[in-house]
């Protein structure tokens, strides 16, 4: 993935302010040629800088009101099999390989605590999972944010 330069950051900030801006609208707002904006957006999408649109969907809108974090100890030799099986569970929305006591940190969504129990039992049944510990999120104190980092990048030339 290539680094974002100041123009890329300005484009992304403008889209953050108004996601409905067209390429022509971005061009006018930023004072940059339409073809430049179009090429930059294509590059950002191709390089994975701009993620899937589905990442912006709130799980609550789909009926998943509960968020939990499952720290997992797994058999190191079965890590690829374990992560592949985790990816197949639709309620698993993030997987991070970690250092420390847990090998994996998994973010899951559930409809309620009974649903979470079902999901954690499915996780425990995955080949290679040795132990789990689940923490339920009481509320999201801060969402994932990138704006501040983009503002810094936009000022850097």
């Amino acid at each position: 993935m290539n680094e974002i330069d100041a123009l890329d950051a300005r484009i992304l900030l403008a889209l953050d302010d108004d996601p409905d801006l067209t390429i022509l609208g971005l061009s006018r707002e930023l004072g940059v040629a339409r073809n430049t904006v179009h090429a930059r957006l294509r590059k950002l999408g191709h390089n994975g800088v701009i993620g899937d649109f589905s990442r912006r969907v709130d799980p609550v809108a789909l009926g998943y009101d509960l968020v939990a974090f499952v720290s997992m100890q797994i058999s190191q030799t079965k890590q690829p099999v374990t992560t592949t099986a985790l990816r197949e569970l639709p309620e698993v929305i993030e997987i991070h390989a970690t250092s420390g006591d847990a090998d994996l940190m998994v973010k899951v969504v559930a409809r309620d605590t009974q649903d979470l129990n079902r999901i954690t039992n499915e996780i425990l049944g995955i080949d290679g999972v040795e132990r789990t510990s689940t923490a339920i999120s009481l509320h999201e104190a801060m969402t994932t944010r990138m704006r501040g980092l983009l503002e810094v990048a936009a000022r850097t030339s």
Side-chain angles (χ1 to χ4, degrees):
M1 183 182 315
N2 296 336
E3 284 194 34
I4 294 174
D5 67 13
L7 178 56
D8 293 336
R10 289 177 48 221
I11 291 169
L12 294 170
L13 285 167
L15 286 171
D16 197 40
D17 290 337
D18 184 357
D20 295 326
L21 275 174
T22 63
I23 291 175
L24 182 59
L26 281 166
S27 171
R28 287 180 178 158
E29 183 168 320
L30 300 173
V32 178
R34 185 181 58 79
N35 288 341
T36 300
V37 171
H38 187 256
R40 292 295 184 109
L41 284 171
R42 290 179 86 197
K43 179 191 75 164
L44 291 169
H46 179 73
N47 290 343
V49 173
I50 299 174
D52 296 332
F53 187 80
S54 65
R55 294 177 72 185
R56 297 179 62 185
V57 176
D58 186 347
V60 172
L62 298 169
Y64 295 91
D65 295 333
L66 191 143
V67 175
F69 299 91
V70 182
S71 58
M72 300 175 57
Q73 291 177 338
I74 63 170
S75 168
Q76 296 299 310
T77 59
K78 297 189 177 183
Q79 191 268 341
V81 172
T82 304
T83 55
T84 297
L86 285 168
R87 285 186 186 108
E88 293 182 15
L89 298 176
E91 299 88 356
V92 171
I93 61 172
E94 287 183 34
I95 304 171
H96 297 268
T98 59
S99 62
D101 292 336
D103 299 309
L104 297 175
M105 184 63 71
V106 179
K107 183 176 180 182
V108 300
V109 293
R111 297 185 185 279
D112 52 34
T113 54
Q114 286 182 316
D115 194 34
L116 178 61
N117 186 54
R118 176 192 60 80
I119 295 163
T120 55
N121 283 330
E122 284 187 40
I123 289 172
L124 283 167
I126 292 173
D127 190 28
V129 175
E130 294 176 352
R131 184 189 332 220
T132 67
S133 177
T134 303
I136 295 174
S137 172
L138 300 176
H139 75 280
E140 187 174 58
M142 185 182 89
T143 62
T144 301
R145 63 179 182 163
M146 294 293 130
R147 186 169 186 92
L149 297 174
L150 287 170
E151 288 170 348
V152 169
R155 292 190 299 263
T156 311
S157 297

